[in-house]
């Protein structure tokens, strides 16, 4: 049990380091390239045995932008845990930043993926 | 010469059949003419601005994530109490709390015991096992062993509707609270808001 907690802690430290090192690129799953909305920053911290995530989205256009998002939670083996989340819609005003916060649904979740989709995006038809 | 012609015709037939078979598509295991399809049950539903599936899922998910962070309820027993619907439309509020219960049980942080709505079924089951005379007494579940809940989840959902000739705006607020059954103390409370605006 103690070893499991240590491993879980190490996994989270590695996750936080990875998140800072590669700018969370590996954690993002964009459904097409968002033209106006960018993921500016993300913070990951473990509280009460659950991962807490805060992601900051920035709209660089002058018009309001809609973004759809949801998190996928993975255990230490890379399996999805906590079931499938519902898609959420967030409105970001022109030139504004929007913070989205969430908590892992289960203590087994040690990693995550953020799925993002903006109606105003670019999709390369060859891909 | 004749035999070569026959062979050629046969080869042509075989080749034609092979080509047709190669071009044919595999049949889908679908019954119906394709006018009906399954959609994404987790997608954002905005068919109208009445309370919908996405609202239910979002409220339940957000409330669960808030509840699961309360350390004092870990390993405790909960029941679902009434969530009053104070809106002008029909909302099955029990479905919101049932979704919260499912998600909390998946998280494994709390346990749920029989609430008011399950009490009749629970009592009937115990009576059947103990008083019908059909069961082996040594293997039937005993009366008087039920456990009481430490906390009850209760609350209400309300709405404000505003409309003019162009716009209809609906604002929903779900408030939930967790009450300590022994002390009556409020150990957790949270509220979630939803705004839906539609143009005519």
């Amino acid at each position: 049990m103690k070893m499991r907690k240590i491993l879980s802690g190490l996994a989270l430290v590695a996750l936080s380091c990875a998140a800072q090192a590669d700018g969370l690129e590996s954690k993002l799953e964009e459904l097409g390239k968002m033209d106006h909305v960018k993921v500016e920053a993300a913070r990951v911290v473990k509280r009460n045995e659950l991962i807490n995530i805060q992601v900051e989205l920035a709209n660089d256009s002058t018009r309001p932008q809609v973004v759809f998002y949801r998190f996928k939670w993975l255990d230490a083996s890379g399996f999805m845990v906590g079931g499938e989340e519902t898609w959420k819609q967030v409105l970001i005003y022109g030139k504004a930043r929007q913070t989205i916060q969430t908590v892992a649904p289960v203590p087994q979740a040690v990693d995550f993926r953020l799925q993002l989709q903006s109606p105003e995006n670019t999709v390369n038809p060859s891909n | 010469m004749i035999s070569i012609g026959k062979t050629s015709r046969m080869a042509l037939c075989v080749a034609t059949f092979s080509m047709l078979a190669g071009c044919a598509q595999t049949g889908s295991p679908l019954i119906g003419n394709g006018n009906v399809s399954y959609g994404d049950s987790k997608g954002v539903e905005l068919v109208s601005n009445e309370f919908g599936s996405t609202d239910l899922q979002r409220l339940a998910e957000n409330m669960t994530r808030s509840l699961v962070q309360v350390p004092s309820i870990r390993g405790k027993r909960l029941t679902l109490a009434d969530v009053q619907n104070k809106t002008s439309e029909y909302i099955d509020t029990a479905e919101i709390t049932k979704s919260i219960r499912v998600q909390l049980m998946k998280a494994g942080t709390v346990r749920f015991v029989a609430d008011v709505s399950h009490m009749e079924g629970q009592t009937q089951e115990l009576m059947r096992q103990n008083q019908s005379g059909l069961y082996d007494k040594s293997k039937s579940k005993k009366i008087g062993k039920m456990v009481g809940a430490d906390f009850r989840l209760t609350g209400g959902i309300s709405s404000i509707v505003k409309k003019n000739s162009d716009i209809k705006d609906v604002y929903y607020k779900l408030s939930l609270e967790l009450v300590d059954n022994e002390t009556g103390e409020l150990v957790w409370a949270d509220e979630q808001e939803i705004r839906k605006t539609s143009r005519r």
Side-chain angles (χ1 to χ4, degrees), chain A residues 4-99:
Chain A
R4 202 173 151 190
K5 274 190 176 176
I6 293 167
L7 286 172
S8 173
L10 286 172
L12 192 72
V13 169
L15 172 69
S16 303
C17 292
Q20 286 163 8
D22 60 13
L24 275 178
E25 285 293 316
S26 63
K27 309 292 173 202
L28 302 180
E29 290 180 6
E30 284 188 39
L31 281 67
K33 182 77 184 158
M34 295 192 293
D35 293 338
H36 302 295
V37 180
K38 304 280 175 286
V39 179
E40 288 282 301
R43 286 179 178 79
V44 184
V45 69
K46 198 166 194 176
R47 290 183 189 139
N48 297 323
E49 297 179 22
L50 296 165
I51 298 178
N52 286 241
I53 298 172
Q54 180 174 289
V55 179
E56 198 166 278
L57 302 173
N59 176 10
D60 64 10
S61 92
T62 52
R63 289 180 293 111
Q65 293 291 323
V66 168
V67 173
F68 296 93
Y69 74 94
R70 69 174 172 182
F71 287 88
K72 283 199 307 193
W73 302 97
L74 310 171
D75 68 9
S77 310
F79 279 81
M80 232 177 97
V81 287
E84 199 181 14
E85 272 195 10
T86 185
W87 281 97
K88 288 118 196 152
Q89 182 183 324
V90 63
L91 176 71
I92 313 173
Y93 293 110
K95 296 290 179 188
R97 286 164 177 268
Q98 179 76 39
T99 303

Side-chain angles (χ1 to χ4, degrees), chain B:
Chain B
M1 188 70 185
I2 293 164
S3 65
I4 292 167
K6 271 186 178 173
T7 310
S8 300
R9 275 201 298 273
M10 277 180 69
L12 188 68
C13 284
V14 169
T16 308
F17 180 76
S18 302
M19 278 174 68
L20 284 171
C23 290
Q25 293 176 327
T26 55
S28 303
L30 174 73
I31 299 160
N33 57 11
N35 290 335
V36 182
S37 62
Y38 281 102
D40 180 5
S41 62
K42 303 291 183 187
V44 176
E45 176 261 304
L46 288 172
V47 177
S48 74
N49 68 359
E50 275 98 37
F51 192 85
S53 60
T54 301
D55 304 320
L56 190 151
Q57 290 168 342
R58 203 175 126 185
L59 291 174
E61 195 178 292
N62 289 347
M63 282 298 189
T64 309
R65 302 293 167 86
S66 175
L67 252 175
V68 85
Q69 294 179 78
V70 184
S72 59
I73 67 163
R74 294 267 163 89
K76 301 287 184 183
R77 295 184 184 92
L78 271 67
T79 48
L80 300 179
D82 281 343
V83 173
Q84 290 183 323
N85 177 14
K86 297 170 191 165
T87 70
S88 54
E89 58 186 293
Y90 172 75
I91 297 172
D92 190 352
T93 55
E95 283 306 316
I96 302 172
T97 47
K98 278 180 189 172
S99 289
I100 293 172
R101 181 170 62 187
V102 167
Q103 290 176 36
L104 281 174
M105 292 209 73
K106 278 184 180 174
T109 49
V110 296
R111 284 181 286 174
F112 281 87
V113 293
D115 53 41
V116 177
S117 63
H118 290 109
M119 206 56 203
E120 196 181 336
Q122 173 69 14
T123 313
Q124 279 178 1
E125 181 61 32
L126 283 174
M127 292 300 178
R128 194 161 58 89
Q129 288 196 24
N130 288 279
Q131 295 178 357
S132 66
L134 298 168
Y135 290 82
D136 180 344
K137 286 281 178 197
S138 65
K139 288 174 185 166
S140 62
K141 298 297 163 193
K142 304 285 175 289
I143 289 173
K145 297 273 185 185
M146 282 176 66
V147 287
D150 300 296
F151 303 102
R152 68 179 186 276
L153 191 63
T154 184
I157 185 166
S158 57
S159 69
I160 298 170
V161 182
K162 292 269 178 101
K163 55 186 167 186
N164 61 22
S165 56
D166 301 323
I167 295 173
K168 183 182 179 190
D169 182 81
V170 189
Y171 166 84
Y172 296 102
K173 191 178 84 171
L174 173 70
S175 304
L176 289 183
E177 45 200 50
L178 200 65
V179 185
D180 186 317
N181 284 334
E182 200 162 75
T183 63
E185 191 184 4
L186 206 68
V187 292
W188 167 89
D190 202 351
E191 60 183 28
Q192 297 291 330
E193 299 164 304
I194 289 174
R195 160 156 271 138
K196 294 170 98 174
T197 310
S198 63
R199 290 182 183 277
R200 288 165 191 239

